[in-house]
Amino acid sequence: MDNHYPVQIEQIIKALSKSWSLDSSSKWSKDNPAKGQCGVAT
């Protein structure tokens, strides 16, 4: 198993978290920033 996978996954999670905002979902909140982020972006 490649030891880089955990680091890559952490980087992806950080990047997604930074991109989530009230602009990307009307359901976004500080307490639950991932809420509503599963929709397809256009």
Side-chain angles (χ1 to χ4, degrees):
M1 185 169 189
D2 189 344
N3 289 335
H4 296 326
Y5 287 132
V7 174
Q8 290 171 346
I9 291 171
E10 274 190 37
Q11 289 173 334
I12 291 169
I13 291 170
K14 285 180 184 180
L16 286 173
S17 295
K18 285 182 178 182
S19 69
W20 295 336
S21 70
L22 190 55
D23 291 331
S24 59
S25 172
S26 61
K27 297 177 183 179
W28 179 92
S29 72
K30 189 174 183 178
D31 294 330
N32 189 357
K35 187 170 184 176
Q37 301 298 332
C38 58
V40 176
T42 57

